[in-house]
Amino acid sequence: MTARAADRARYDRATAHLDAPLAIVDLEAFDANADDLVRRAGGKPVRVASKSVRCRHLLERVLAKDGFAGIMSFTLAESLWLARSGFDDILLAYPSADRARFAELAADPKLAAAVTVMIDDPAQLDLIDAARDGGSEVVRVCLELDTSLKMFGGRVRVGARRSPLYSPAQLADLARTVARRPGFKLVGIMAYEGHIAGVGDAVAGRPLRSRAVRLMQATARRELAERRAAVVRAVRAVTPDLEFVNGGGTGSVQTTAAEDAVTEIAAGSGLYVPRLFDNYTSFTGRPAALFAMPVVRRPGVGVVTVLGGGYPASGAPGPDRLPVPYLPEGLSYDPQEGPGEVQTPLLGSAADDLLIGDKVWFRHAKAGELCERFAELRLIEGDRVTATVPTYRGEGHTFL
């Protein structure tokens, strides 16, 4: 029996009393992935990206482990909810225009101490000030550095379009703006190198593309390490008591951690290891989060139909954004239909061994987005469900 077949047998036994659709997290795999992130971080703390987890119970579990410290959140509403739930070190990774929540933040000493917000433009400070509604608490802020690789005089650009702050001088100038402005305190710098951390460099069946990605990433790492160090020096000249410099992502933990300028690493997808994180030479994780759909039809030889399953992930549309049938091995989509909103035909010889009511296990393309489809996660240890915990959605929250 292969390792995957053994996992399928465990998951089927653990959930035999439960009807699909359902979602699980294999705690042995989850914990092993967490330990691997800590190992790769080489002694620097790992800040957990909440958008890749979206379950308070599992955020608490991973933050209880040595080597993890703090949360990287994705909306201001989520940040305040987490702070009120007892989390005390929350970095909001994206700028916000949520005036009502900024008023809450500026009026509450506990929230203001726990949450750091992201800025890359003085206009964002103006918005926060206009939203204070009498609140006088000092708002902690972090500057975001644009990590993109620019070549040929800027005519070629690789990387996400995020912050407009690229040069050390630009970040130092905004740091001075913050320092002069009452009601704000600059505490950190963040730089997410998504073109390194979030792009696989060993795509199956694409050797030339994989080699090109590795060459791009090697160039980008060298350029960014030099520029990030210069940025940190420039900002520390303005704000010597900077608390943190955050960088990295699941796919670049060890290389980002090797930079002296970086004080902490961000990671989240590496806990669940969705399918987009299969194609890396830097690490190999264990799939920990899966969902099961029931077989509801057997249209013919070599084909079964499961309920639903059409859960595409965000990003540029393409086959890599679709869930993948994982267990039993050997199933694939009908290219004429793909995964459907209400039903999904699956092809392959493994289909002939499936009966009405059997479960087919899928892996989502991106980590936490799976939790927007399910209200709860069944936590599996060995071949037993040992707990059922709510996702954000299950707690009544869909933050974005």
Side-chain angles (χ1 to χ4, degrees):
M1 182 182 290
T2 67
R4 280 174 60 175
D7 283 342
R8 181 196 175 201
R10 286 197 300 117
Y11 301 152
D12 281 347
R13 285 196 299 271
T15 63
H17 62 297
L18 300 171
D19 289 331
L22 59 84
I24 66 166
V25 171
D26 184 332
L27 290 181
E28 181 181 323
F30 181 89
D31 290 342
N33 292 334
D35 293 343
D36 187 59
L37 288 172
V38 171
R39 178 190 63 80
R40 291 198 286 138
K44 292 185 177 178
V46 179
R47 185 181 290 273
V48 184
S50 63
K51 78 179 183 68
S52 300
V53 179
R54 302 193 203 201
C55 171
R56 278 200 301 168
H57 177 89
L58 291 175
L59 288 172
E60 291 168 353
R61 183 184 183 92
V62 73
L63 285 170
K65 293 178 175 291
D66 291 340
F68 288 88
I71 290 176
M72 177 177 283
S73 58
F74 60 100
T75 74
L76 185 54
E78 178 212 15
S79 304
L80 301 190
W81 177 65
L82 290 174
R84 290 183 172 120
S85 300
F87 298 96
D88 60 4
D89 179 7
I90 303 159
L91 170 61
L92 175 56
Y94 308 88
S96 176
D98 189 338
R99 293 173 174 84
R101 272 28 178 266
F102 275 129
E104 294 177 34
L105 179 69
D108 188 317
K110 178 185 175 182
L111 297 180
V115 176
T116 300
V117 303
M118 193 66 58
I119 68 165
D120 55 34
D121 190 312
Q124 293 152 352
L125 300 177
D126 295 338
L127 185 147
I128 296 169
D129 268 340
R132 284 180 181 271
D133 193 27
S136 58
E137 294 299 321
V138 172
V139 175
R140 293 163 53 87
V141 299
C142 176
L143 307 183
E144 181 170 3
L145 167 67
D146 174 16
T147 65
S148 61
L149 174 64
K150 296 181 180 180
M151 300 178 290
F152 307 109
R155 292 189 297 275
V156 175
R157 182 183 180 283
V158 180
R161 297 183 182 275
R162 293 176 63 116
S163 170
L165 304 176
Y166 190 84
S167 69
Q170 288 175 310
L171 279 96
D173 185 56
L174 186 51
R176 283 188 286 270
T177 298
V178 176
R180 291 192 298 262
R181 191 142 180 173
F184 295 94
K185 181 182 180 183
L186 176 59
V187 298
I189 300 171
M190 188 193 85
Y192 172 57
E193 53 268 34
H195 52 302
I196 303 171
V199 178
D201 63 350
V203 182
R206 304 287 297 275
L208 293 180
R209 173 180 169 79
S210 298
R211 185 168 182 270
V213 169
R214 287 194 290 272
L215 288 171
M216 177 276 290
Q217 290 179 338
T219 302
R221 278 194 296 268
R222 288 191 297 270
E223 186 277 334
L224 179 58
E226 294 177 4
R227 183 159 52 89
R228 180 155 40 201
V231 163
V232 172
R233 287 193 298 270
V235 173
R236 285 195 186 278
V238 178
T239 309
D241 58 345
L242 206 64
E243 295 176 15
F244 64 85
V245 177
N246 181 282
T250 289
S252 69
V253 170
Q254 58 267 51
T255 55
T256 305
E259 295 182 34
D260 291 337
V262 174
T263 67
E264 63 175 40
I265 305 300
S269 295
L271 295 169
Y272 288 167
V273 187
R275 64 167 296 197
L276 280 177
F277 285 82
D278 284 348
N279 304 315
Y280 285 79
T281 57
S282 60
F283 79 103
T284 301
R286 293 174 56 182
L290 299 93
F291 68 93
M293 308 305 286
V295 174
V296 292
R297 285 178 172 167
R298 291 172 51 87
V301 176
V303 56
V304 293
T305 302
V306 298
L307 183 72
Y311 301 159
S314 60
D320 66 338
R321 301 289 148 167
L322 301 179
V324 61
Y326 183 61
L327 300 171
E329 299 179 66
L331 295 173
S332 61
Y333 293 125
D334 182 338
Q336 302 281 334
E337 296 192 46
E341 176 188 12
V342 181
Q343 66 173 29
T344 297
L346 297 171
L347 310 180
S349 59
D352 294 330
D353 296 323
L354 291 168
L355 305 176
I356 300 295
D358 283 352
K359 296 180 177 77
V360 174
W361 297 90
F362 292 77
R363 294 173 64 201
H364 201 261
K366 296 183 74 173
E369 292 184 17
L370 170 63
C371 294
E372 298 300 331
R373 301 287 184 168
F374 292 89
E376 56 192 20
L377 299 171
R378 312 286 182 160
L379 306 185
I380 290 183
E381 296 182 74
D383 60 359
R384 294 187 305 118
V385 172
T386 56
T388 299
V389 297
T391 61
Y392 280 10
R393 176 180 172 178
E395 295 202 64
H397 295 286
T398 51
F399 291 110
L400 198 61

